[in-house]
Amino acid sequence: MAKRIIYEPSRTLMEFRLLPGLTTERSSTENISLRTPLVYSSEDRFNLNIPIVAAAMQSVSGAEMGIELAKAGGVAFIYCSQSVEAQSAMISRIKNYKAGFVNPRTVSPEMKIGKMYSIREETGYSTFPVVNENNEFLGLISKYDYDLGMHREATVGERMILREACEVGYNITDLNEANRKLLESHKSVLPILDSNGRLQSLVFRKDINDHLNNPYEVHDEFKRLLAIAAVNTHDFRVRIPALVAAEVDVISIDSSDGYSEYLQQTVEWSLSHYPDLPVIGGNIITAPAFRYLVEMGCAAIKVGMGGGSICITQEQKGTGRGLASSIIEVAEERDRYFLETGKYIPVIADGGVTSTKDITIALALGADYVMMGRYFARMEESPTEKIVINNRVMKPYWGEGSARARDWLEKRYYQAKFVEGVEGFVEYAGRLRDNLEETLAKIRSSMSTSGSANIKEFHENAELELISALSIREGKVHDIFIPGDTNNVDASHNYE
Ligand code: IMP
């Protein structure tokens, strides 16, 4: 017979509600800190300012998501189902973003305006610095300097603003100094040059304002955004060195079943070659698996199996567990491990976090932060194109175990006998920043209701209750007619 049979059904996040604790002035929403450890480390830079990260998936986490989410206080795990070069380039782009200093696409003075326009369309940039073959700065060209109809055949050199007419800065690394120069000069863009007149970066006034609007930004000791990359258990000997060269801050060894010797080999290889590079491991759903991973040196653990919105692992293999039950078992083990060793290993709730209340419940149950795919796939910053289906704006979303994503892996490593994920669409939700604002406001409000001023207190104070199917019905809008709402329920119900 089986080694273990659990008769208590496994629980999902949807089945719990929080009970209110005493709300104090200290725990009022404006006083709440959402800061949380990214990995176990003594270094202050390995903290998040919001407890939310984006999943390592092709349809979720490219460089743009990495930049925008790090600016907002979280991180995107850059996916590894792509070539080593492409993933390293994404990490470099995030690290070179340098909060306000842009590593620009340049053009030559001989280039035709028509050609430059096609680069503009491809990249979305409207201002280009003009440089010679030695990268010496010659001038700037922006959308105000030409008319495509009239100047298609003219050269950039004929239309650009010459260097003498541009305001430039030399060897500036401080954003405030760049800002002062921009303000004094009444210009909107400042090329930064080295002492030999070679172009280093551009600073845009709009980006400075943007930077000042990002008090939660997460960055390294040089004020560069944090960048995290996923790594598979196949090509790690090539991939990890390339990511390290691109200056990755943390890696996450990703496997749908992380309780394995393959994961161990990968983690041990990484830690023996790069002892200072923190490694996140996962995914697991039991206490012994947590022990196995932390004892090999993992500095944070991803928890969850079978719950992802695109996941069919439970149906295909019969393996998996409700995310709430997984978090409860692993968080208990994490606390036990902390008492024994003094090492606090963050637990990440991953897969099947479908709403803000799910995030809150996951945190209350003991997760230190949550990873989401579907939530971020809907945003402008995800790497996919919008598409209109039945008059609704959608974005495609597919699992890393779907045929579409596996294609890349299978061409190199193995032929999977079955898929573990599906492809579909999610409703477009607009900009990340606007969505996060609402999500974080709701999390703060729930924490305040429980009387917790930070996530550690939330773990200590939260009181939760399992609810019945009828309670779920009661918690939704009921017995009221709302014009235009397709979920309308019968409003003719009488009070007895
Ligand atoms: P979501 O937030 O519910 O959409 O779940 C995202 C999570 O699902 C990811 O972080 C992965 O852990 C997991 N996942 C991604 N792709 C697949 C797949 O194809 N099959 C099963 N799980 C997947």
Side-chain angles (χ1 to χ4, degrees):
M1 95 159 247
K3 179 172 162 192
R4 180 159 73 131
I5 300 178
I6 304 171
Y7 288 100
E8 172 68 17
S10 126
R11 300 293 179 183
T12 68
L13 298 174
M14 286 175 251
E15 293 173 89
F16 286 92
R17 292 288 181 271
L18 272 167
L19 300 178
L22 176 69
T23 303
T24 59
E25 220 175 303
R26 247 188 93 250
S27 65
S28 60
T29 47
E30 63 277 12
N31 291 334
I32 286 177
S33 162
L34 294 177
R35 197 166 161 82
T36 192
L38 170 65
V39 289
Y40 165 69
S41 168
S42 55
E43 286 185 54
D44 193 49
R45 69 184 166 121
F46 293 123
N47 279 292
L48 299 173
N49 286 323
I50 63 170
I52 297 180
V53 299
M57 298 171 73
Q58 291 176 346
S59 48
V60 177
S61 292
E64 195 180 349
M65 186 64 80
I67 290 170
E68 289 308 314
L69 192 50
K71 279 159 65 178
V75 284
F77 286 42
I78 302 301
Y79 62 93
C80 58
S81 51
Q82 59 177 325
S83 71
V84 170
E85 295 73 30
Q87 190 189 21
S88 308
M90 286 185 183
I91 294 294
S92 285
R93 228 186 104 195
I94 298 170
K95 295 308 291 180
N96 286 326
Y97 176 78
K98 229 179 155 194
F101 292 85
V102 177
N103 200 0
R105 177 82 184 248
T106 57
V107 294
S108 73
E110 296 82 27
M111 186 183 284
K112 291 272 168 57
I113 294 288
K115 166 79 180 147
M116 187 202 66
Y117 191 80
S118 63
I119 300 177
R120 175 182 163 183
E121 291 214 303
E122 186 188 305
T123 59
Y125 302 141
S126 61
T127 300
F128 292 96
V130 187
V131 296
N132 64 16
E133 58 283 4
N134 298 322
N135 204 35
E136 285 157 353
F137 179 68
L138 304 176
L140 281 172
I141 184 155
S142 80
K143 59 185 174 189
Y144 304 112
D145 299 321
Y146 60 90
D147 176 278
L148 191 62
M150 286 167 65
H151 303 122
R152 186 180 287 276
E153 290 304 316
T155 63
V156 165
E158 286 164 352
R159 301 299 312 164
M160 70 184 185
I161 308 280
L162 291 173
R163 180 194 156 141
E164 296 69 48
C166 299
E167 182 72 17
V168 298
Y170 287 94
N171 298 314
I172 295 179
T173 52
D174 176 16
L175 210 49
N176 288 325
E177 191 185 340
N179 195 15
R180 271 195 301 279
K181 242 178 155 1
L182 273 174
L183 279 174
E184 278 161 21
S185 66
H186 301 268
K187 301 270 198 248
S188 61
V189 54
L190 183 73
I192 310 288
L193 313 183
D194 69 11
S195 317
N196 298 319
R198 281 191 292 258
L199 183 71
Q200 289 182 325
S201 57
L202 286 188
V203 176
F204 289 91
R205 192 183 291 196
K206 67 173 171 33
D207 287 348
I208 291 182
N209 294 336
D210 193 26
H211 175 58
L212 298 177
N213 287 336
N214 290 317
Y216 294 127
E217 201 167 87
V218 284
H219 38 63
D220 62 20
E221 66 271 41
F222 305 111
K223 297 261 184 267
R224 297 176 318 171
L225 298 177
L226 284 191
I228 301 198
V231 172
N232 61 53
T233 53
H234 301 282
D235 61 11
F236 57 91
R237 291 182 186 83
V238 187
R239 192 171 290 270
I240 296 175
L243 292 168
V244 169
E247 300 182 276
V248 74
D249 293 290
V250 173
I251 57 167
S252 170
I253 315 286
D254 268 11
S255 170
S256 56
D257 169 20
Y259 193 16
S260 83
E261 288 183 348
Y262 303 110
L263 193 109
Q264 182 178 12
Q265 281 158 15
T266 313
V267 171
E268 287 180 353
W269 187 91
S270 184
L271 290 175
S272 67
H273 288 78
Y274 305 101
D276 296 331
L277 177 68
V279 175
I280 296 174
N283 281 22
I284 55 103
I285 51 175
T286 61
F290 174 86
R291 281 274 161 171
Y292 183 71
L293 263 58
V294 296
E295 280 171 2
M296 69 177 76
C298 287
I301 304 293
K302 270 200 298 143
V303 173
M305 189 183 290
S309 57
I310 31 50
C311 176
I312 51 172
T313 303
Q314 300 208 31
E315 286 166 49
Q316 294 278 60
K317 300 200 325 186
T319 52
R321 191 176 209 184
L323 187 56
S325 298
S326 309
I327 297 170
I328 294 166
E329 179 168 324
V330 176
E332 264 181 354
E333 188 68 4
R334 184 261 327 271
D335 292 347
R336 217 171 290 131
Y337 187 77
F338 175 63
L339 286 178
E340 285 166 26
T341 63
K343 290 185 186 170
Y344 185 85
I345 310 289
V347 163
I348 309 156
D350 175 28
V353 178
T354 56
S355 63
T356 305
K357 69 177 181 329
D358 281 357
I359 304 176
T360 310
I361 300 291
L363 296 173
L365 289 175
D368 295 281
Y369 53 102
V370 302
M371 169 172 275
M372 294 185 288
R374 196 190 72 90
Y375 177 89
F376 290 104
R378 304 171 305 140
M379 314 275 161
E380 179 67 34
E381 291 80 359
S382 71
T384 56
E385 293 298 325
K386 296 191 276 279
I387 168 171
V388 177
I389 304 175
N390 294 342
N391 292 325
R392 291 160 74 185
V393 184
M394 305 279 211
K395 284 196 127 191
Y397 179 43
W398 62 93
E400 289 296 289
S402 67
R404 179 166 180 177
R406 280 226 171 137
D407 192 45
W408 180 85
L409 205 60
E410 288 180 5
K411 276 191 192 123
R412 284 157 186 81
Y413 304 114
Y414 62 86
Q415 201 63 44
K417 303 241 173 351
F418 58 93
V419 294
E420 287 187 49
V422 297
E423 263 186 72
F425 295 90
V426 285
E427 190 125 22
Y428 175 64
R431 295 228 153 247
L432 174 67
R433 184 171 295 270
D434 302 328
N435 283 280
L436 270 183
E437 210 172 288
E438 188 180 327
T439 300
L440 297 174
K442 288 183 189 166
I443 297 173
R444 286 197 180 94
S445 179
S446 307
M447 288 174 63
S448 175
T449 300
S450 87
S452 312
N454 54 53
I455 291 174
K456 184 169 181 291
E457 285 183 16
F458 200 30
H459 288 168
E460 290 160 3
N461 293 346
E463 291 186 78
L464 297 114
E465 187 171 51
L466 201 56
I467 54 170
S468 68
L470 278 179
S471 315
I472 296 178
R473 185 182 182 281
E474 184 188 60
K476 291 194 169 153
V477 172
H478 57 90
D479 303 308
I480 175 170
F481 175 72
I482 303 175
D485 186 345
T486 48
N487 297 321
N488 264 322
V489 291
D490 183 10
S492 60
H493 174 256
N494 286 321
Y495 294 91
E496 281 131 18

